[in-house]
Amino acid sequence: MASPTTTPGTGTERSTDTELAITGMTCASCANRIERKLNKLDGVTATVNYATEKARVTHPPSVGTDVLLSTVEAAGYSATVPQAASRGAGADAASEDPADRELDALRQRLIVSALLTVPVVALAMVPAWQFDGWQWISLTLASPVAVWGAWPFHRAAWANLRHGSTTMDTLVSVGVIAAYTWSVVALVWGSAGEIGMTHPFRIAVERTDGMGNIYLEAATGVTTFLLAGRWFEKRSKRRAGAALRALLDLGAKDVAVLRGAPGAETEVRVPAEELAVGTRFVVRPGEKLATDGVVESGTSAVDASMLTGEPVPVEVGPGDEVVGGCVNAGGRLVVRATRVGGDTQLAQMARLVEEAQAGKASVQRLADRVSGVFVPVVIALAVGTLGFWLGTGVQTSAAFTAAVAVLIIACPCALGLATPTALLVGTGRGAQLGILIRGPEVLESTRQVDTVVLDKTGTVTTGVMALVDVVADGATPEEVRRRAAALESGSEHPIAKAVVAGAEAPLPAVEGFANVPGLGVSGTVEGCEVLVGRPALLADRGLELHATLAAALDEARAAGRTPVVVGWEGRARGVLVVSDTVKETSAEAVAELRRLGLRPLLLTGDNEQSARTVADAVGIEDVVADVLPADKVDVVRRLQEQGRVVAMVGDGVNDAAALAQADLGIAMGTGTDIAIEASDLTLVRGDLRVAADAVRLSRRTLGAIRGNLFWAFGYNVAALPLAAAGLLTPMLAGAAMALSSVFVVSNSLRLRRFT
């Protein structure tokens, strides 16, 4: 799709990011060729991904989209600018997906070719079936396969030849044409010098009349094996991108909006694309939320598992924020839209995943450079193989067999698929689990990280103050809690909200409410003047603090908690202890991070005692407390200067700079947008255990990439010498080449099972 966003360019000019859908690519060499052509344009930076069949192009306004499209077409391929509106268009649109049509056409070509190939191979390999004239029957059956079945290879090879380039299709086309033409010559014109001679390492058909050997089984077998490999490859690539497509399809197709005057509103069903910010819409049980918004009325449980990976539905009510794409599992909700279109969390998640899938790891760039020169080198090697064998006096047929095998065995596809398919599956699986990976460079970082810095508030703790204890003296705890909550209900302070949340409704009425800046609040509750706040407030009003409550104050402060004193009728009656509570899963998360070889460090602006209390609760030994927001960057930088590779986990605005400074920035998705933007990994839900999952998934994805590249390189290193030595037939070479690509994609698909 064309991205409407712009990024700063050089000087006063602004560069635009555009995404192109590329068709006609058949191997990594094709992607490299398009990338080189685009990058030759002034001011253009392009990355072409063979697995996703997309190009991400950054270009100045002077280079329009039409120039980009024409450049791709001039290279021998087709390009379009997908429309975002096509997303989620429903089942009808899905059935018209060009990729699905291409897959179906390839499947039909494969089936027909396979049906014709089986008897050709059988006649060639089973002497008992070789009746008079069987060679002509083989030629009749093989001709449609070598011409029509292999047509995609011939067509691509011709298009590349017209543009003065070569790709894998060139190797396949030349190999098939050579085997087929040799066979026709042998059949029609009979013996041609040394055609009838044998070679000990090849499996060929020897004519009983001495006219020569034919390679029809090689031409048909190679074509069928490669068609099968390409079909499996394309189907696997579709499966690899299934998670992202599922994410894009999460959005509701239509929505019931409320129109008319309040009290006389009617529901009107409209397409979800027509929603605007401020629109009120209805979500019934079982329906998807059409966009991000705030609940205005109704209560329900919302299933956000597809977005966050959290299996337990979340209870929501008036004032709570909800995210588009989630399923309403309970009652009827009326929601006011706050973000629509590309601004929604679902769209932002999809954009992050797409950007990650379009990237290339540094190790993949080496593979791309190899693939770019691979085909010409292979053609030269095939010619050299032919010349070498002819020079040693070996029969022409044996030299020809070895040369054709070299052409067919070489496959840069596996190299080109190694990184993008693993990224497709890994980032897609991450999105399903609520983990957004920005790009392949992040994977490299997770492997090297040895220290993880954890922000305290909102990361290790809930970030929300809660009433954790009530100590009473001269009154019941319930009476202290109820009167304090009644008075604090008139305040917006976080501590006041914690006190109110800790009491049961209904609360008594308050008269004469007054705020005492910096000290607390006062008012009349149930006929008594009540004071709630710091001990200094009560001391100023002459209220006595007995030893029991003084001890409770000291104990709360020593534990790093916030005490609030409540008093009436001449004395303090109780101490309310408020604290930012540790998340239930934080201790388990810290233990998992340790198992991954990471050394945790707690970083906070709170006092040393409060920080130590939290650290002890979750099992962290290293603590840096009393840190100002601006100094968090310095802490990360000092650790890096000590030789540590640092990951930073945070959620607030004051964490953004430290997240950017860290070697690996991990933002809690429950935090601020600026923190998420500065991070490398984003955790959609606020569970610290997901940070450990994110590191494990990133490392597993990197491992899959490295494994793919190892086997892809190893395949070519081992197979080419065997083919050049005459130890492989063209048909077996074609099967091996197809299997190499299928292996790489299948290895990547194992990431779908990551939990």
Side-chain angles (χ1 to χ4, degrees), residues 572-662:
R573 301 288 178 171
V575 172
L576 304 176
V577 182
V578 177
S579 177
D580 176 11
T581 57
V582 175
K583 294 178 181 178
E584 295 180 357
T585 59
S586 290
E588 181 183 346
V590 170
E592 179 63 23
L593 290 170
R594 286 186 180 279
R595 282 193 289 270
L596 290 171
L598 304 180
R599 180 180 177 181
L601 180 148
L602 188 68
L603 181 65
T604 180
D606 289 348
N607 61 70
E608 179 76 18
Q609 184 58 52
S610 176
R612 284 289 174 190
T613 300
V614 172
D616 292 342
V618 298
I620 297 177
E621 298 174 359
D622 298 332
V623 177
V624 179
D626 296 311
V627 178
L628 295 175
D631 296 333
K632 290 186 176 182
V633 176
D634 295 332
V635 173
V636 173
R637 188 178 292 117
R638 283 199 302 272
L639 290 170
Q640 292 171 329
E641 290 172 352
Q642 295 170 11
R644 300 192 193 182
V645 181
V646 181
M648 169 76 188
V649 186
D651 72 328
V653 172
N654 57 5
D655 298 324
L659 288 169
Q661 173 66 34

Side-chain angles (χ1 to χ4, degrees), residues 161-516:
L161 182 61
R162 285 167 42 217
H163 292 88
S165 66
T166 56
T167 65
M168 185 205 76
D169 295 287
T170 307
L171 304 179
V172 176
S173 180
V174 170
V176 171
I177 290 174
Y180 180 77
T181 303
W182 180 280
S183 302
V184 171
V185 170
L187 278 172
V188 176
W189 284 279
S191 61
E194 303 169 58
I195 292 181
M197 295 186 176
T198 59
H199 183 270
F201 297 116
R202 65 172 173 77
I203 304 174
V205 179
E206 190 166 318
R207 292 284 305 272
T208 56
D209 57 4
M211 293 178 65
N213 301 298
I214 61 174
Y215 293 86
L216 294 174
E217 83 286 357
T220 56
V222 165
T223 299
T224 301
F225 278 129
L226 294 185
L227 285 174
R230 185 163 292 184
W231 181 74
F232 279 116
E233 176 188 310
K234 286 186 176 293
R235 190 184 69 163
S236 298
K237 282 161 61 178
R238 292 285 291 168
R239 291 174 61 194
L244 177 58
R245 289 194 299 276
L247 191 65
L248 296 175
D249 289 340
L250 273 181
K253 306 300 182 290
D254 52 36
V255 57
V257 301
L258 294 176
R259 291 179 177 170
E265 294 171 318
T266 58
E267 295 183 21
V268 180
R269 208 83 192 174
V270 301
E273 295 81 28
E274 295 183 11
L275 279 175
V277 174
T279 302
R280 299 169 68 241
F281 60 94
V282 177
V283 189
R284 292 183 175 81
E287 289 185 336
K288 292 180 181 178
L289 287 142
T291 193
D292 298 357
V294 175
V295 177
E296 289 200 342
S297 65
T299 58
S300 181
V302 173
D303 180 4
S305 58
M306 189 60 189
L307 284 175
T308 66
E310 176 58 62
V312 181
V314 179
E315 297 291 334
V316 298
D320 290 333
E321 294 184 355
V322 289
V323 178
C326 299
V327 178
N328 179 16
R332 179 180 184 271
L333 296 175
V334 175
V335 180
R336 175 173 50 82
T338 56
R339 290 187 290 190
V340 298
D343 295 330
T344 64
Q345 182 173 332
L346 176 62
Q348 291 172 353
M349 285 178 62
R351 189 158 53 246
L352 283 173
V353 175
E354 285 182 327
E355 289 173 356
Q357 293 178 348
K360 293 183 180 179
S362 56
V363 69
Q364 177 64 27
R365 298 190 181 277
L366 172 61
D368 287 349
R369 288 195 294 271
V370 172
S371 297
V373 299
F374 195 74
V375 174
V377 170
V378 169
I379 292 176
L381 180 60
V383 173
T385 299
L386 179 63
F388 171 80
W389 282 113
L390 290 176
T392 58
V394 173
Q395 300 92 333
T396 302
S397 58
F400 174 81
T401 300
V404 172
V406 168
L407 286 173
I408 293 172
I409 196 70
C411 177
C413 287
L415 292 175
L417 290 169
T419 291
T421 52
L423 276 177
L424 271 173
V425 184
T427 54
R429 182 57 180 153
Q432 290 177 326
L433 298 175
I435 302 166
L436 303 182
I437 304 172
R438 278 197 178 273
E441 64 281 352
V442 175
L443 308 180
E444 300 280 357
S445 299
T446 58
R447 180 177 60 86
Q448 300 165 351
V449 164
D450 55 30
T451 302
V452 56
V453 176
L454 304 174
D455 173 60
K456 182 178 79 69
T457 306
T459 301
V460 177
T461 65
T462 62
V464 178
M465 302 297 284
L467 182 64
V468 296
D469 195 16
V470 179
V471 179
D473 182 25
T476 65
E478 178 56 34
E479 190 176 13
V480 171
R481 184 188 294 111
R482 187 180 71 253
R483 290 187 174 184
L487 194 56
E488 292 280 34
S489 63
S491 173
E492 291 297 319
H493 194 280
I495 293 178
K497 291 182 178 180
V499 172
V500 174
E504 295 182 3
L507 297 174
V510 178
E511 298 178 357
F513 174 84
N515 179 48
V516 183

Side-chain angles (χ1 to χ4, degrees), residues 65-146:
T65 305
D66 55 337
V67 176
L68 302 177
L69 297 177
S70 61
T71 301
V72 175
E73 291 171 1
Y77 305 89
S78 299
T80 57
V81 181
Q83 299 299 318
S86 64
R87 288 182 175 180
D92 293 338
S95 64
E96 298 175 359
D97 190 334
D100 288 337
R101 290 201 305 270
E102 182 182 5
L103 195 61
D104 290 340
L106 186 58
R107 179 174 175 270
Q108 293 173 3
R109 193 179 296 269
L110 169 61
I111 291 173
V112 173
S113 297
L115 291 175
L116 295 174
T117 297
V118 170
V120 173
V121 174
L123 287 173
M125 299 300 177
V126 183
W129 294 353
Q130 295 173 0
F131 52 86
D132 289 340
W134 67 268
Q135 300 93 336
W136 296 100
I137 293 177
S138 292
L139 179 62
T140 303
L141 295 173
S143 296
V145 179

